């Protein structure tokens, strides 16, 4: 051994590590909670789907913390991964397009918002997805908790699916994860006596979802005592003051079920219309 070049000895050590017996992984679906050998073993054992939860750091009125989308996307992605099986959850993407900075537009008009350009956002997602592909993940699932960048998620998926043809991997963008909130969930709330309280942003549904998933991010006491919030405060329509966790759990279940169904029906890798 001592006569062999150093680099050959190092290569032998690396090969031994790579082929080391599998060790039981922790009971987690979080990519960042695992070691590289545990991730290798998970992929070799069939966990070849990686869910990329996309959030966004933005103002959500005076009563919901600015990390709303990040926390919700991560917590729901964990539920989706466990329900779908054979999936891990990537780190949440917290930097997303939220408006211009000069002049300040959209949510960037308020403190607490972080925005990047759509081009930067698409490049970030594409590079991350490529990182997952080369280490053995064969399906990258994109879910986005904010409406403003849904078209960018579709563009990334379509671009990578074209680029990855013949490489044994694909991207599944799941629009239903987001669409059920202003769609089926909003309809359910209206049908159950909350029609006037459903708005566009930081409304009843937004607040209820947050209370169901992480109530510490809602300033509940102040909200209950507040007058009706306005657009000047970052609440766009509706009335969040009667939101509760039970209402939010309905919407969260809808998001999980819609995403798992899309993953289960993903036979070819093509995105649904």
């Amino acid at each position: 051994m001592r006569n062999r070049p150093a680099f050959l000895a190092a290569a032998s050590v690396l090969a031994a590590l790579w082929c080391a017996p599998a060790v039981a992984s922790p009971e987690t679906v979080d990519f960042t909670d695992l070691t590289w050998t545990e991730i290798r073993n998970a992929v070799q054992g069939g966990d070849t789907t990686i869910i990329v939860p996309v959030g966004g750091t933005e103002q959500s009125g005076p009563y919901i913390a600015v990390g709303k989308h990040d926390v919700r996307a991560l917590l729901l992605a964990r539920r989706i991964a466990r329900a779908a099986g054979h999936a891990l959850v990537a780190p949440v993407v917290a930097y997303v397009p939220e408006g211009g900075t000069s002049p300040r537009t959209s949510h960037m008009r308020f403190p607490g918002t972080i925005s990047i350009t759509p081009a930067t956002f698409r490049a970030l997602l594409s590079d991350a997805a490529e990182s997952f592909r080369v280490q053995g993940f064969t399906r990258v699932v994109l879910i986005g908790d904010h409406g403003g960048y849904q078209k960018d998620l579709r563009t990334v998926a379509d671009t990578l699916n074209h680029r990855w043809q013949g490489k044994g991997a694909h991207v599944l963008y799941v629009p239903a994860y987001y669409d059920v909130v202003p769609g089926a969930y909003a309809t359910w709330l209206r049908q159950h006596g909350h029609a006037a309280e459903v708005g566009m942003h930081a409304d009843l549904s937004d607040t209820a979802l947050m209370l169901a998933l992480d109530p510490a991010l809602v300033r509940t006491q102040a909200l209950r005592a507040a007058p009706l919030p306005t657009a000047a405060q970052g609440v766009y329509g509706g009335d969040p003051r009667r939101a509760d966790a039970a209402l939010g759990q309905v919407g969260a279940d809808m998001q999980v079920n819609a995403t798992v169904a899309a993953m289960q029906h993903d036979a070819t890798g093509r995105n649904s219309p």
Side-chain angles (χ1 to χ4, degrees):
M1 172 69 78
R2 65 171 177 264
N3 294 325
R4 296 174 68 186
F7 76 89
L8 290 178
S12 298
V13 171
L14 182 59
L17 285 171
W18 187 261
C19 298
V23 177
S25 297
E27 291 297 320
T28 180
V29 293
D30 283 16
F31 184 89
T32 52
D33 285 349
L34 300 172
T35 69
W36 76 264
T37 53
E38 290 165 347
I39 292 169
R40 173 205 62 193
N41 296 342
V43 171
Q44 291 177 348
D47 294 348
T48 54
T49 291
I50 184 83
I51 301 171
V52 180
V54 185
T57 309
E58 66 178 28
Q59 74 83 18
S60 287
Y63 308 110
I64 307 177
V66 300
K68 170 193 74 178
H69 284 309
D70 301 330
V71 172
R72 285 207 317 235
L74 180 59
L75 294 178
L76 289 173
R78 288 170 177 163
R79 286 183 54 184
I80 292 162
R82 291 189 176 99
H86 299 294
L88 296 180
V89 177
V92 67
V93 178
Y95 299 94
V96 308
E98 294 281 7
T101 56
S102 182
R104 291 169 65 174
T105 61
S106 189
H107 294 309
M108 274 306 303
R109 295 179 294 112
F110 297 83
T113 304
I114 303 171
S115 188
I116 62 176
T117 67
T120 300
F121 176 64
R122 292 192 296 266
L124 184 155
L125 289 175
S126 297
D127 288 352
E130 184 67 15
S131 296
F132 294 126
R133 185 190 69 80
V134 300
Q135 59 193 278
F137 290 96
T138 59
R139 179 168 66 169
V140 178
V141 178
L142 299 179
I143 59 173
D145 209 66
H146 172 53
Y149 50 64
Q150 296 295 319
K151 62 184 182 301
D152 298 299
L153 298 183
R154 180 175 291 279
T155 296
V156 168
D158 290 344
T159 300
L160 288 179
N161 283 333
H162 179 75
R163 186 184 305 166
W164 289 357
Q165 286 182 6
K167 293 186 177 181
H170 70 276
V171 179
L172 175 68
Y173 159 56
V174 184
Y177 169 88
Y178 174 78
D179 288 347
V180 297
V181 175
Y185 180 42
T187 298
W188 184 90
L189 288 171
R190 293 186 183 100
Q191 291 171 343
H192 287 78
H194 299 282
E197 295 159 286
V198 176
M200 298 293 293
H201 175 74
D203 65 337
L204 179 80
S205 62
D206 231 357
T207 308
L209 284 166
M210 201 70 257
L211 286 169
L213 295 170
D214 190 346
L217 269 63
V218 181
R219 309 300 183 251
T220 308
Q221 186 174 353
L223 175 63
R224 299 284 186 253
L228 179 65
T230 68
Q233 296 171 284
V235 179
Y236 302 149
D239 185 350
R241 293 175 295 176
R242 286 204 301 156
D244 62 40
L247 290 176
Q249 194 58 59
V250 173
D253 290 346
M254 286 181 177
Q255 289 187 277
V256 172
N257 293 339
T259 306
V260 172
M263 293 170 65
Q264 291 172 339
H265 290 87
D266 174 33
T268 65
R270 289 192 296 269
N271 292 305
S272 57

